[in-house]
Amino acid sequence: MNNSLLLLFESVLDIVLLVLGVILIFRARDNRSKLYWGIMSAFVGVFLFQDNISWVILFNTTDLTAMSCGLLVMKRMLKWYLLGTYVFIFPLVFLRSGYITPMKMLVLSLPVGATALTIGCYFLFNGRITELYSFQSIIHNTGRFDVKLRLFIFAITVVIPVVYFFIPVLCDLSTVKKKLTPAMWIYVISMILMLSYYIFFTVCLNNFIFYTYGGILVSFCIFFSILYLFNENPFFSATKTPQERETDKKALAGILYSTMDAYLKTHQPYIDPEYSLKGMACDLNAKETILVEAIKYGGFTGFRDYINYLRVEHFKKSAQLQRGKLVKELMHESGFTSRSSFYRIFVSYEQMSPAEYIEKLYLE
C-alpha cells in the first residue's frame, strides 16, 4: 500500500509538471528556449503520469515486484531513450539564434525512431526474450542474440544522449559567448544523476531505484520549470570582452543621442530657463548617467554645454524667422536669462557677437 501511495504521489507531481509546462508555453512569447522547455515539461508530465498510473493498476492486480525485476527490458529502455534524448538535447537550444529548427529536431530524433523500429521488428519477427534477473545472468547469457541486441540498444541509449548533451562543449557554434550560471551546473549534476539512475534501473534494478526513479526525474523538471517562470534564461548569461562591452556601450549611446536630440528639437523644452538634466531624464524615461554618456557621444562636455548649443541654434533660427526683433527678446525666447552669459556662449560657438551675426544675416 505504501508503494502504491508513493506512485500516486509521483502522479500528482506529474500533473504539477504538466501544468507548469503549459504555463511556460503560453508565457514564452518569443523566448524559444522557454517555449521548448515548456513543451518538454508538458510532454514529460503526460508521459510519466500515464506510466505511473499503469504501475498503480498493475500493483493492485499483480505482483509488482516480480514484474519489475527484469533487466535490459527493451520497452523500458525505449522509454528512457525517448525522454532522455530530449532532456539531454536541451542545451543545444542555447546555441546561436535559430540553431534548433524542426528539421534539426527531426534529424536528431532519427536514432530514437531507428531504435523503436528495431525493437518493433524484433518482437514482430522473433520475439524470443531471455529472462534476466541479475547482472550475473546478463554476463552468462551474452552469447544469445536477443541479449546482444539488448546490450547494443542499452549502449546506444546511454551514448547518444550524452553526445547530444556535450555538443555545445565540443563545438563552439554560438555567436555570443555565454557564461554558465549555477543553475546550469545543477542541470549538469542532475543529468549525471539521472543517467546513473537509468543505468542501475536497466542492469541491476532494486526496489529503491524503482520507486525513486520517476520521482527524481519529475522533481528535476519541476525545479527548472519554476526557474523558467521567473527567469528568461536560467542556464546562461551572455558575457563579452571589455572591447565588445565598450562597442555596445557606444552603440547604445549613439541610439539614445539620436532619440534625445530629435525629442529636444521637436518639443523644445530647453527654452525653459529652469530645464535640467533631471527634467530631461524624466521626459525620456532614462537614467541621468546614461543621458550624460549619450551627450558626450554627441561631442559635448555635458548637459549644460549641450543645452546651450541648442539654445544658440534656436536663437539663430528665430533671428532668421523674426527679423527686426531685438537681441534681448530673442535671447529670452531661446532660454537664456543672463545677457553676459549669453554673449559669452554665443561668441564661443559663432566667433562673433549676436549683433554681428544678425547684421551679417541681414546683409546676406
Side-chain angles (χ1 to χ4, degrees), residues 72-74 77-78 80-81 85 111 115 119 138 146-164 195 198-199 202-203:
L72 290 177
V73 179
M74 289 190 182
M77 289 190 290
L78 184 60
W80 154 263
Y81 197 20
T85 294
T115 303
I119 293 174
I138 295 175
D146 70 301
V147 176
K148 290 181 180 179
L149 177 64
R150 289 151 71 182
L151 285 171
F152 176 72
I153 291 173
F154 172 66
I156 289 177
T157 59
V158 172
V159 173
I160 297 295
V162 172
V163 170
Y164 286 169
L195 183 63
Y198 167 67
I199 292 172
T202 306
V203 297

Side-chain angles (χ1 to χ4, degrees), residues 81-254:
Y81 197 20
L82 184 62
L83 289 176
T85 294
Y86 294 110
V87 173
F88 276 70
I89 211 173
F90 194 74
L92 282 171
V93 175
F94 300 106
L95 293 176
R96 66 174 179 260
S97 178
Y99 180 79
I100 288 295
T101 61
M103 180 56 67
K104 284 184 179 174
M105 286 296 294
L106 178 62
V107 172
L108 294 171
S109 301
L110 287 178
V112 178
T115 303
L117 182 62
T118 301
I119 293 174
C121 289
Y122 181 80
F123 278 108
L124 181 64
F125 296 107
N126 190 313
R128 180 179 177 181
I129 296 294
T130 302
E131 294 186 358
L132 305 170
Y133 297 102
S134 66
F135 186 73
Q136 288 74 17
S137 64
I138 295 175
I139 297 175
H140 292 156
N141 291 280
T142 51
R144 294 178 178 269
F145 175 75
D146 70 301
V147 176
K148 290 181 180 179
L149 177 64
R150 289 151 71 182
L151 285 171
F152 176 72
I153 291 173
F154 172 66
I156 289 177
T157 59
V158 172
V159 173
I160 297 295
V162 172
V163 170
Y164 286 169
F165 186 76
F166 284 104
I167 283 179
V169 178
L170 298 175
C171 53
D172 182 17
L173 300 178
S174 179
T175 56
V176 179
K177 293 182 179 180
K178 295 177 179 179
K179 179 182 179 181
L180 295 180
T181 63
M184 189 58 190
W185 290 114
I186 296 175
Y187 190 88
V188 171
I189 294 171
S190 300
M191 293 295 97
I192 295 173
L193 178 63
M194 284 197 296
L195 183 63
S196 302
Y197 253 84
Y198 167 67
I199 292 172
F200 283 107
F201 191 75
T202 306
V203 297
C204 51
L205 179 63
N206 59 45
N207 284 337
F208 176 79
I209 293 175
F210 177 80
Y211 288 111
T212 57
Y213 176 62
I216 290 291
L217 179 58
V218 72
S219 299
F220 152 80
C221 291
I222 287 176
F223 174 75
F224 286 104
S225 295
I226 292 173
L227 286 184
Y228 257 113
L229 284 176
F230 300 100
N231 296 275
E232 287 300 305
N233 187 344
F235 295 110
F236 291 98
S237 61
T239 58
K240 298 183 179 182
T241 64
Q243 293 80 3
E244 290 173 327
R245 286 196 294 268
E246 186 63 27
T247 300
D248 288 348
K249 187 177 179 181
K250 289 181 179 179
L252 291 173

Side-chain angles (χ1 to χ4, degrees), residues 28 61 66 79 106 117 168 227 256 265 284 296 324 328 331:
T61 57
K79 285 181 179 180
L106 178 62
L117 182 62
L227 286 184
L256 181 56
K265 289 178 178 178
L284 297 172
K296 289 180 179 179
K328 184 178 180 180
M331 179 192 77

